[in-house]
Amino acid sequence: GGGGILTPQMAAQGKGAMMLKGAFMNMKGGMMGCGGGPTSTINDLWKGLLRHKVLPGGTWQNDERTVLISGLPSDTTDADLLKIFSPFGAIAPGGVRVNLNEDGTAKGNGMINFLFLESAQAAIETLNNCMLPDGRFLRLKPWTDRGLGKGGKKGKDGVPQGKAGGGGLITPGGGAGAGGAEAEG
């Protein structure tokens, strides 16, 4: 809840000044006065940008541009995946996910929703079968629709199905080392 955002595009469309958590923004995005209310958080900005659909790529969806990752260390965060995968290309807003255990540690798998298929393919070709310093391997593969619809369903054992981390281990694709390996289908 609360105020909104005002982008230059919205201002050009005549949307005028909008409330931003106790302060007003003018047509050029500058602050006009302080209303003494609570200040905005970065999360307020993020939610407003998503709500008004002003970020390129819209919202994420699982499709052929989605990369599933397994073999991640237990201290992996969403920010870590963003740092590693953003050099391959644009990622959809909210398109980075590390699956977490109840204690907050990473389960070892995650997913990236790229905006372009070429970016997903480059990430898979480069990082699939990459050996970690402890000898384990990072496994990447393209997402495939298993007919469960968006988000999938929970199975009898409570394990999500149809999303990253919903199944068993991704089997090794043959060779070791970084780069050049084909993704398993």
Side-chain angles (χ1 to χ4, degrees):
I5 61 167
L6 178 66
T7 66
Q9 292 81 5
M10 293 166 75
Q13 294 170 359
K15 303 276 189 202
M18 298 177 67
M19 272 299 275
L20 180 61
K21 292 277 187 178
F24 290 97
M25 294 190 69
N26 66 20
M27 297 290 263
K28 295 186 181 193
M31 300 300 283
M32 299 189 316
C34 266
T39 59
S40 295
T41 66
I42 193 66
N43 199 37
D44 293 333
L45 175 61
W46 172 248
K47 286 179 180 179
L49 293 170
L50 289 178
R51 182 174 41 250
H52 294 288
K53 299 179 181 177
V54 296
L55 297 175
T59 57
W60 63 268
Q61 63 181 24
N62 294 331
D63 58 20
E64 68 276 0
R65 300 168 297 173
T66 302
V67 175
L68 304 179
I69 309 144
S70 66
L72 294 167
S74 63
D75 64 343
T76 305
T77 66
D78 290 353
D80 294 324
L81 288 189
L82 184 62
K83 186 171 34 175
I84 292 168
F85 287 91
S86 63
F88 291 100
I91 297 171
V96 176
R97 168 88 188 224
V98 173
N99 293 318
L100 301 177
N101 293 306
E102 287 184 25
D103 66 0
T105 60
K107 289 184 176 182
N109 53 51
M111 59 194 325
I112 303 289
N113 298 98
F114 285 101
L115 292 185
F116 303 105
L117 180 59
E118 298 79 15
S119 301
Q121 291 169 335
I124 291 169
E125 290 171 12
T126 304
L127 297 177
N128 187 39
N129 291 322
C130 177
M131 185 185 290
L132 280 63
D134 64 5
R136 292 183 301 147
F137 289 90
L138 201 59
R139 306 291 186 197
L140 282 75
K141 69 177 186 176
W143 180 86
T144 55
D145 186 359
R146 293 185 170 65
L148 296 173
K150 188 171 181 179
K153 300 274 184 197
K154 288 203 173 191
K156 292 178 186 172
D157 58 359
V159 176
Q161 298 172 350
K163 282 188 166 184
L169 296 174
I170 298 171
T171 57
E182 288 296 316
E184 294 264 322

